[in-house]
Amino acid sequence: MKKDIKNRADIEMLINSFYDRVKTNAQIGHFFTTDKHIDWSAHLPVMYNFWENILFYTGQYNGNPMAVHKQLHQEFPLSKEDFAEWLRLFKQTTDELFEGENADLIQQRAQSIALVMEGKIISPHF
Ligand code: HEM
């Protein structure tokens, strides 16, 4: 039986495994490898903070993901298919590693944030 996401170490494992898949993904890998030159030692802790705050309300993340992805979209356009693939990989990673209330919750949050982000970026007039 798989365990639930209980602490930051679990979030780190989830995000590391997610990015292993993202970076080698034929559809969305390019955003993270050739398009942007991401400083992973800076970016990964930001992502751990973001997700830890979502599950455990640590108050550690104070960035603006909507603005970051709007900017990204202007440089390298994001499509509906890109969002669908991002979400598919996030769900797949979570399902393979964990199960339980927090695993369900993180998937729901990922889906709702992705939906809002996609709406704001791809159909900004609605
Ligand atoms: C098509 C889907 C997506 C792509 C290709 C994508 C790509 C990226 C890239 C390249 C960055 C780094 C940008 C930079 O540092 O200049 C980034 C940052 C980030 N992404 Fe995404 N992303 C996607 C969807 C999402 C979704 C759905 C979420 C949340 C549920 C998310 C959460 C974040 C966060 C929190 C950051 C860090 C923002 C900050 O620096 O404060 N991303 N993303």
Side-chain angles (χ1 to χ4, degrees), residues 61-85:
Y61 178 80
N62 54 12
N64 186 341
M66 295 300 161
V68 168
H69 295 82
K70 261 191 179 171
Q71 176 63 38
L72 176 65
H73 180 62
Q74 279 169 14
E75 294 173 71
F76 305 100
L78 299 166
S79 67
K80 281 182 182 296
E81 290 73 26
D82 294 333
F83 277 101
E85 189 63 3

Side-chain angles (χ1 to χ4, degrees), residues 88-123:
R88 192 187 69 75
L89 290 177
F90 195 87
K91 286 191 167 180
Q92 185 193 67
T93 313
T94 313
D95 281 338
E96 279 181 27
L97 295 175
F98 298 101
E99 69 184 354
E101 271 177 35
N102 286 336
D104 290 345
L105 187 63
I106 206 168
Q107 291 192 352
Q108 285 165 22
R109 297 307 304 267
Q111 176 154 16
S112 60
I113 297 165
L115 214 78
V116 170
M117 200 182 266
E118 182 188 314
K120 287 198 179 195
I121 287 172
I122 296 176
S123 339

Side-chain angles (χ1 to χ4, degrees), residues 31-32 36 43 47 50 61 69 72 78 82 86 113-114:
F31 292 107
F32 300 86
K36 299 296 287 186
H43 180 65
M47 298 311 288
F50 175 77
Y61 178 80
H69 295 82
L72 176 65
L78 299 166
D82 294 333
W86 186 101
I113 297 165

Side-chain angles (χ1 to χ4, degrees), residues 46-70:
V46 171
M47 298 311 288
Y48 305 150
N49 288 346
F50 175 77
W51 288 110
E52 196 183 15
N53 185 48
I54 283 184
L55 278 191
F56 305 122
Y57 306 104
T58 52
Q60 289 224 56
Y61 178 80
N62 54 12
N64 186 341
M66 295 300 161
V68 168
H69 295 82
K70 261 191 179 171

